[in-house]
Amino acid sequence: MNLAEGVQFISLGILGVLMLVAALGVVLLSNIVYSAFLLGLVFVSISGLYILLNAGFVAAAQVLVYVGAVNILILFGIMLVNKREDFQPISKAWVGKAATGAVCLGLFTLLSSMVLATPWQLSTATPAGENAIEIIGLHFFSDFLLPFELASVLLLMALVGAIILARREYIPDYEPEDEQKVLTLRERPRELVATSSDNQEM
Amino acid sequence: MQLEYFLILAAALFCVGIYGLVTSRNVIRVLMSIELMLNAVNLNLMAFSNYLDPAEIKGQVFAVFVITIAAAEAAVGLAIVLSIYRNRDTVDMEQFNLLKW
């Protein structure tokens, strides 16, 4: 094992331990804001693992999309649903947790024994490395053209659907007279006073 | 031996995601667990792409598609969570029994 392999191995160990500990924190911590920030840590360490796998472009896309968009979106969701509620305790909740833990451990042992038992046919071709972006672009515009275009349509549908779902519904209490000509997205007026008093109570 | 390390890491992350998906009661934590599982799948794809198909990196292309779908899923999922929260005034998974009998 030369120096480069040693550095790779140590980085793999550090990033893997960081990722697993942060993922356990996401699942097990009781404060959900800590969970959201630890989720960002998971995404960053996975991006580091991608760099170890010779994939700089996907690592950058991971940081941009997951840390920059999805994690911020989840933080905004937590802020919009800022209700400190103590959940009603369910009787015998520990049975479900123990059963789920047993199933997860079993699945993990199954998967890892399968991974260790399979003889992988490792390829000896030189990795794409720096040319990865060009090869990915070539794939996008030749043999993966249809999924690429469908992904853009799906993103548009998700955008419109998220706006429609999250919008406050408009319930007409009165007939608008002159507003008919104006093309606006009407929504229910917010109860600003009520929400501010709710926040002060917390 | 390196491929096995990455695959075992991805399997562990996937199992943590499943545990959080089943046991957590806050809806937003359920969404986070789904993101963890999607990331585990992505890690698998990238490991296979690097070790079994390093010249034509189709695994990276698939990973980019999975990232796209995950972004769309997070947006729509959070919109559904907001809509349910506005109607039911709770984020408890056990009280979302709209589709039960």
Side-chain angles (χ1 to χ4, degrees), chain B residues 20-96:
Chain B
L21 182 70
V22 176
T23 58
S24 59
R25 295 185 63 183
N26 197 327
V27 192
I28 298 179
R29 201 186 296 268
V30 170
L31 281 178
M32 291 190 214
S33 305
I34 295 175
E35 297 295 332
L36 286 184
M37 291 163 67
L38 284 167
N39 269 290
V41 173
N42 258 350
L43 194 55
N44 254 336
L45 285 174
M46 301 289 287
F48 283 134
S49 148
N50 188 38
Y51 286 103
L52 305 183
D53 181 25
E56 266 188 87
I57 35 175
K58 288 189 180 167
Q60 297 193 17
V61 180
F62 274 105
V64 172
F65 282 130
V66 173
I67 288 175
T68 313
I69 304 296
E73 176 261 346
V76 176
L78 276 171
I80 290 173
V81 167
L82 279 184
S83 170
I84 293 179
Y85 173 69
R86 211 170 285 142
N87 284 323
R88 303 294 294 251
D89 202 28
T90 180
V91 285
D92 188 2
M93 283 297 282
E94 300 292 331
Q95 297 184 20
F96 292 166

Side-chain angles (χ1 to χ4, degrees), chain A residues 3 6-7 21 26 29 37 40 102 180-181 183:
Chain A
L3 181 63
V7 169
V21 169
V26 169
L29 282 185
F37 281 110
Q180 291 284 358
K181 295 170 186 170
L183 287 175

Side-chain angles (χ1 to χ4, degrees), chain A residues 75-152:
Chain A
L75 274 173
F76 269 102
I78 290 171
M79 283 192 272
L80 287 174
V81 191
N82 60 349
K83 190 176 181 188
R84 299 258 176 92
E85 60 172 343
D86 295 325
F87 297 134
Q88 303 259 334
I90 310 176
S91 61
K92 297 188 180 166
W94 63 271
V95 177
K97 285 192 180 180
T100 315
V103 166
C104 290
L105 273 181
L107 183 65
F108 177 67
T109 39
L110 183 72
L111 282 174
S112 48
S113 62
M114 184 272 294
V115 163
L116 292 176
T118 309
W120 300 105
Q121 294 182 339
L122 295 184
S123 168
T124 52
T126 52
E130 294 294 320
N131 293 323
I133 300 178
E134 295 167 17
I135 299 176
I136 289 173
L138 211 62
H139 279 304
F140 273 157
F141 286 100
S142 59
D143 48 351
F144 289 101
L145 183 62
L146 182 63
F148 183 67
E149 299 292 340
L150 279 181
S152 62

Side-chain angles (χ1 to χ4, degrees), chain A residues 168-174 186-192 195:
Chain A
R168 287 160 188 270
E169 284 180 46
Y170 177 68
I171 300 174
D173 294 331
Y174 61 95
R186 291 190 306 238
E187 38 179 36
R188 195 191 306 169
R190 306 173 182 203
E191 301 121 8
L192 286 176
T195 51

